[in-house]
Amino acid sequence: DGVESVTVEVIGDAGDMEEFTGEYKALRELIRSTRGGEVEVTGKRLEWPEMEAVPDDAVTVELPPDFGKLLALAAPVVDQREARLALRGINLSRDGVTATNGKELLNLPCPLKIPEDMTLPFPLALLTARPEGTGTLYIWRSRNERLFRIVIGGFQWQGKVLPGNFPDWKQVIPADKTLDYQIEIHEPERLITFLKTVPDCPPFHAVELNVVPGGVTVIPNNFPDMELRLEATVIGAQPRAVLALNKYVLLRMLQQGYTKFRAHSDGRIPVIAEGGSGRYLAMPIHILPKHQPEKETSKMEKLENKVVSAPVQTVAPNHELGTNPLDELCNTIDTFRHKLKLALDE
């Protein structure tokens, strides 16, 4: 397309065929509909533009065998409609593979010996081709632009590094001492199935994780009649605010294996999810819970419950006056985005 170029080598017998160009959609449908081992393709000869050669002084970085899988894990976090170009791609640095959309952030550790960070465009071609094995990343400058080429087996992807500075995402990671309790979900598949049945409720799609004796009760904020009781281990301080997360963010976390959620009892700083391939951060939705489990008569300062079977707690409405939940949520998200914007501008 004049910006990116993709080359894929396919093993086959082309006979005496010369180079020619075929229409992409027609070729795709032809291959999909073919059941045998031969494909008859028609096209026309065309002078195909040559890719810019990799210069001898290009930076060379070895890519691990799971590099393609890491990009596939980071891709769902990317917002391709984001106004800032740097956030439309996936960042590579010595700290690994990182993606953010301003509301959630995923960092996947990866041993990349790269001299300075760079941001790849959204890797649609690589996600489609799904090449496997070790690879090589080449980076160089040409006409005041940074170019890259990724080679994995017979797959080659070349294009321009996205301009602009990627946010200094380490600034928004809360210190360990500020995360004073942890929820570990022991039945993630049940929760995934449940979340898929929860109706949408834009713009926040809030789902509450209410701590109860022996586990958690999951309640969609706008659909209190839907409720799921889960066994879980809760360690640390008694939460003073219910932990509420976006339904789709929580679903992505669970599908990638993140089952431990470290949070602050006031619910006003990012949550760190662990258990998957890296660190997954998300801003909790700070709203006043309408459906909070009744408190026990003996209030515990510290909670360390190992999972046991327990009856579902009765959920009672909790109405508090004087605070607009939507205003609190907007202020909290604005603060998180402001931090990312400041990091981006640095």
Side-chain angles (χ1 to χ4, degrees), residues 182-186 231-234 259-261 307:
Q182 173 182 290
I183 298 174
E184 181 177 1
I185 304 294
H186 297 303
E231 292 184 347
T233 300
V234 183
T259 57
K260 296 179 181 179
F261 302 89
V307 179

Side-chain angles (χ1 to χ4, degrees), residues 22-41:
E23 184 182 5
Y24 169 72
K25 290 184 179 180
L27 179 61
R28 181 182 61 185
E29 293 303 319
L30 179 63
I31 294 175
R32 284 179 174 177
S33 61
T34 299
R35 296 292 180 267
E38 295 184 359
V39 178
E40 183 176 337
V41 183

